[in-house]
Amino acid sequence: MDAWAIWLIIAGILLICEMLSLTFYLLWLSIGALVGAAVAFVAPEAYFWQVVAGCLVAVVLTVFTKPLVRKYRGSKGFRDIGTELIGKQGVVVEPIEEGKNGIVKVGGDTWTATSAAPIGKDELVRVLKRSSTIIEVERWEDIY
């Protein structure tokens, strides 16, 4: 298999992982892999330069887009749904067991959820905090 095809497969896998994680870091790595594929297409035997070009692009994108993202998130009118979730009430769709994730519906969205204590299906919960795609909840009646 040609090196450029391998780079494209890597770029595709990273892009799919990015869509699942929503962090933007894997997007930059995916673009770096695309650059590696372009270099491999032009110079198939220059493996070192393929890796260097891909890494350089990924690092440059990561470094230079961080201030832009910080500026955008700090701008007036930006709403992060994750911070709005904290304190809201939800309903457990799939039970949350000790050491395992469950599913919670908050508003119109469903989220993967964890809890310090097991929570059964259809119980009311309150959102405590949110990471990238998982929320931490507690039983609603434990609050009062």
Side-chain angles (χ1 to χ4, degrees):
M1 183 178 284
D2 293 331
W4 63 268
I6 295 171
W7 280 108
L8 285 180
I9 291 169
I10 292 169
I13 291 170
L14 288 169
L15 187 60
I16 290 168
C17 291
E18 170 57 42
M19 286 189 247
L20 296 173
S21 69
L22 305 171
T23 61
F24 275 111
Y25 291 115
L26 295 176
L27 177 64
W28 308 144
L29 293 175
S30 178
I31 293 171
L34 286 175
V35 170
V39 173
F41 191 75
V42 174
E45 300 300 321
Y47 301 114
F48 174 76
W49 293 112
Q50 295 168 22
V51 173
V52 168
C55 289
L56 188 63
V57 166
V59 168
V60 166
L61 286 172
T62 301
V63 169
F64 287 110
T65 56
K66 203 163 185 94
L68 292 174
V69 170
R70 190 176 302 121
K71 181 179 177 183
Y72 173 71
R73 287 181 153 243
S75 68
K76 189 175 184 178
F78 175 76
R79 289 179 39 214
D80 184 5
I81 190 168
T83 56
E84 291 179 1
L85 283 174
I86 297 171
K88 294 226 175 171
Q89 185 182 51
V91 178
V92 177
V93 177
E94 286 185 18
I96 304 169
E97 298 174 6
E98 194 171 327
K100 294 185 179 180
N101 295 336
I103 305 277
V104 172
K105 186 169 188 170
V106 180
D109 299 324
T110 55
W111 292 83
T112 302
T114 62
S115 176
I119 303 175
K121 185 177 180 184
D122 296 326
E123 288 192 58
L124 295 178
V125 293
R126 179 177 75 117
V127 178
L128 297 175
K129 65 181 182 178
R130 173 189 171 248
S131 61
S132 62
T133 58
I134 299 175
I135 59 174
E136 185 177 331
V137 297
E138 69 179 354
R139 250 189 214 94
W140 188 262
E141 57 265 6
D142 288 349
I143 302 165
Y144 302 103

